[in-house]
Amino acid sequence: MATLLHIDSSVFPGSASTSRTVTDAFRKAWEEQHPQGTVIYRDLVVSPAPHITADAHTAGFAPAGAHTPEQAAAFAERLKFIEELEQADAILIGAPMYNYTIPSTLKAWLDNVILMGRTAMTEDSKIKGTPVTVIASRGGSYAPGTPREGYEYVQNYLEVVLRDALGLDLEFIVPELTMAPHNPAMSELVPLFEASRTKALDDAAIKAKELADRFAA
């Protein structure tokens, strides 16, 4: 049976978070279609990944037998995240935009799982080609042609990291204008937000079912 790794990083709980609402729709569709599958869930707000230290970083470039006690302890923490990633047949990541980029908790997780020669920049990676769906929610719009197009550092960054460095099969679902219902200056954009949210929920369910069907075949 296939395994889904589900990562959430929004600081807002439940339905207060658009990214969590959409990842939840994806996961429910996955579980309905693939009830015998496994879901590994990591909420990076409740259980954050530690920021990379010098010991954790240098341990990644030295054989285990040469690790100092400090390196061994730090690397054991990294391995928990790496092994979860390697177990996954599909990956789901909630990545809201905070101050034009991803949450620091998600960046810390990425710093832990990006390991040259094991998960990154190697043909022997166990994760190469694994499908990853990123729910890239944002309060405004940073789509091509919009005034803030040049401020988009979520999709641009994750394309380099997830697709190019880790070799994952990347797809984005982008619910936007999430601040429209809460900001009077954006009130005229509420219908566009609602349409974007509905499309994101539909796309998440479709993608989850597509992946579940692929692994069930």
Side-chain angles (χ1 to χ4, degrees), residues 3-37:
T3 297
L4 173 69
L5 174 61
H6 174 183
I7 305 286
D8 274 326
S9 62
S10 172
V11 297
F12 298 104
S15 60
S17 163
T18 297
S19 67
R20 287 182 186 269
T21 299
V22 179
T23 60
D24 186 60
F26 183 109
R27 177 172 170 173
K28 285 179 178 176
W30 167 279
E31 291 176 327
E32 288 172 2
Q33 201 76 8
H34 197 51
Q36 303 305 315

Side-chain angles (χ1 to χ4, degrees), residues 28 53 62 78 98 111 117 124 151 184 201-202 204 213:
K28 285 179 178 176
T53 62
R78 285 190 75 181
Y98 292 160
D111 287 340
D124 299 326
Y151 290 63
L201 290 168
D202 290 345
D213 285 344

Side-chain angles (χ1 to χ4, degrees), residues 22-68:
V22 179
T23 60
D24 186 60
F26 183 109
R27 177 172 170 173
K28 285 179 178 176
W30 167 279
E31 291 176 327
E32 288 172 2
Q33 201 76 8
H34 197 51
Q36 303 305 315
T38 300
V39 176
I40 300 172
Y41 180 57
R42 184 165 289 279
D43 186 330
L44 295 176
V45 175
V46 175
S47 300
H51 288 287
I52 284 290
T53 62
D55 287 325
H57 177 74
T58 56
F61 297 94
H67 287 174
T68 66

Side-chain angles (χ1 to χ4, degrees), residues 139-156:
S141 179
Y142 301 80
T146 62
R148 293 198 171 189
E149 175 184 357
Y151 290 63
E152 162 51 69
Y153 298 110
V154 172
Q155 289 176 262
N156 292 347

Side-chain angles (χ1 to χ4, degrees), residues 10-178:
S10 172
V11 297
F12 298 104
S15 60
S17 163
T18 297
S19 67
R20 287 182 186 269
T21 299
V22 179
T23 60
D24 186 60
F26 183 109
R27 177 172 170 173
K28 285 179 178 176
W30 167 279
E31 291 176 327
E32 288 172 2
Q33 201 76 8
H34 197 51
Q36 303 305 315
T38 300
V39 176
I40 300 172
Y41 180 57
R42 184 165 289 279
D43 186 330
L44 295 176
V45 175
V46 175
S47 300
H51 288 287
I52 284 290
T53 62
D55 287 325
H57 177 74
T58 56
F61 297 94
H67 287 174
T68 66
E70 293 78 14
Q71 285 178 318
F75 195 63
E77 284 293 304
R78 285 190 75 181
L79 279 178
K80 291 191 303 184
F81 301 105
I82 290 169
E83 289 171 353
E84 285 181 348
L85 182 63
E86 290 177 336
Q87 290 175 45
D89 297 291
I91 306 160
L92 170 66
I93 299 175
M97 179 186 281
Y98 292 160
N99 299 316
Y100 309 112
T101 189
I102 63 174
S104 62
T105 50
L106 182 55
K107 177 61 164 62
W109 179 81
L110 287 166
D111 287 340
N112 276 276
V113 300
I114 297 170
L115 181 57
M116 299 301 172
R118 178 162 176 171
T119 61
M121 302 302 186
T122 174
E123 291 298 316
D124 299 326
S125 170
K126 293 180 181 179
I127 68 170
K128 186 176 181 180
T130 301
V132 55
T133 306
V134 175
I135 311 303
S137 60
R138 60 276 315 276
S141 179
Y142 301 80
T146 62
R148 293 198 171 189
E149 175 184 357
Y151 290 63
E152 162 51 69
Y153 298 110
V154 172
Q155 289 176 262
N156 292 347
Y157 170 70
L158 292 177
E159 283 175 0
V160 173
V161 173
L162 298 176
R163 184 191 62 202
D164 299 344
L166 295 179
L168 302 175
D169 181 10
L170 173 62
E171 182 168 329
F172 287 104
I173 295 174
V174 185
E176 61 180 12
L177 302 169
T178 63

